Amino acid sequence: PAVVPPQNPQRLYLRQVRAQLAAQGFTEVYNYSFLSENDARRFSMNIVEHLEVKNPIASDLTHLRRSLLPGLFKNIIDNVRHFREFRLFEIGNEIHPRSEQDLPHEITHAAAVLYNAQGDEQDFFEMKRVLECLFPTARLGAVEARPYEHPARTASIACYGSIIGRIFELHPSLLQDEGIEGRAVLFDFDLELAQQSAMSQAAKYAAPRRYPTSGF
């Protein structure tokens, strides 16, 4: 007999995130799960900490990615040739190596970018507004900027007390090195942590009082 498979809560959750980002004008992109040594170096990542591919599909895709950011940066380079502003997002797995006996740890992340050739500081607050559409209870916190992040426009994202990601403007030098004008604001968060935080605070049924109070 045909049996209905059990519902996958993560699948439904990812659909909701996609729908919310699409409603905010973002277009979903799909990138390869590989990167090159130059990609890792650009985002201050140690290539030794990445898994190397024995049979790469291209000479410059030699390692498995530990972040979605290098792929999104390539999307920025490709799209600035045709558009003065755009919004993109990707949902995919970061691949982190473990011991030689264990399979790598795949962590589902969501990352989005807002690019504007004539952007200003308001783009950061626009990205914050989009983030609050996804997580109404999200709070930003002060955090030390990484080399590829703008030193004054970088923050951590906390949801129900758990740090789930970061929101930041790309350091201007990264865009200038590619001959790109304007500004790019991104956020990157762990979808599994975000879902766990939301489920831990989900509303639970409470039975009504047997003898409710009444004011006179």
Side-chain angles (χ1 to χ4, degrees):
V3 179
V4 178
Q7 188 177 27
N8 185 344
Q10 186 184 30
R11 188 176 184 182
L12 178 61
Y13 183 72
L14 295 183
R15 284 181 178 176
Q16 294 172 345
V17 172
R18 283 190 174 95
Q20 186 62 257
L21 286 170
Q24 299 299 323
F26 286 78
T27 301
E28 187 172 11
V29 297
Y30 296 91
N31 293 308
Y32 287 121
S33 298
F34 312 104
L35 79 168
S36 65
E37 293 189 26
N38 289 334
D39 295 332
R41 193 179 303 111
R42 179 185 289 123
F43 286 88
S44 303
M45 293 183 286
N46 188 355
I47 197 64
V48 178
E49 298 175 352
H50 293 69
L51 286 171
E52 186 174 0
V53 182
K54 290 185 177 181
N55 54 341
I57 61 175
S59 59
D60 61 338
L61 300 176
T62 56
H63 292 76
L64 292 174
R65 67 183 179 186
R66 290 182 54 134
S67 172
L68 306 184
L69 301 181
L72 276 177
F73 187 77
K74 289 184 176 180
N75 296 141
I76 295 174
I77 296 174
D78 292 338
N79 280 274
V80 293
R81 305 170 186 171
H82 312 287
F83 305 101
R84 298 288 292 172
E85 58 180 302
F86 51 82
R87 302 181 179 201
L88 306 173
F89 79 94
E90 181 180 12
I91 293 177
N93 289 343
E94 292 184 354
I95 303 167
H96 296 256
R98 291 192 276 200
S99 64
E100 296 183 359
Q101 291 77 21
D102 297 328
L103 292 173
H105 187 200
E106 298 188 32
I107 307 173
T108 306
H109 269 240
V113 57
L114 185 157
Y115 170 80
N116 192 340
Q118 298 178 335
D120 54 26
E121 293 84 354
Q122 295 302 317
D123 290 336
F124 183 88
F125 296 101
E126 168 61 14
M127 205 62 161
K128 178 177 179 289
R129 183 195 66 80
V130 174
L131 185 67
E132 290 172 346
C133 291
L134 292 170
F135 308 108
T137 60
R139 295 292 180 268
L140 302 188
V143 67
E144 184 178 355
R146 294 167 179 167
Y148 56 86
E149 298 172 341
H150 193 288
R153 285 184 280 277
T154 299
S156 62
I157 305 170
C159 187
Y160 296 112
S162 301
I163 303 297
I164 62 172
R166 298 168 77 92
I167 180 172
F168 59 92
E169 181 180 323
L170 273 183
H171 197 285
S173 62
L174 266 69
L175 298 177
Q176 292 170 2
D177 290 344
E178 300 294 334
I180 300 174
E181 300 178 353
R183 302 189 183 206
V185 184
L186 299 90
F187 62 66
D188 177 21
F189 59 87
D190 186 327
L191 277 167
E192 296 177 9
L193 281 178
Q195 183 183 16
Q196 291 171 7
S197 299
M199 292 178 64
S200 66
Q201 299 295 326
K204 298 181 180 179
Y205 171 78
R209 295 180 59 176
R210 184 175 179 85
Y211 301 105
T213 60
S214 178
F216 290 90

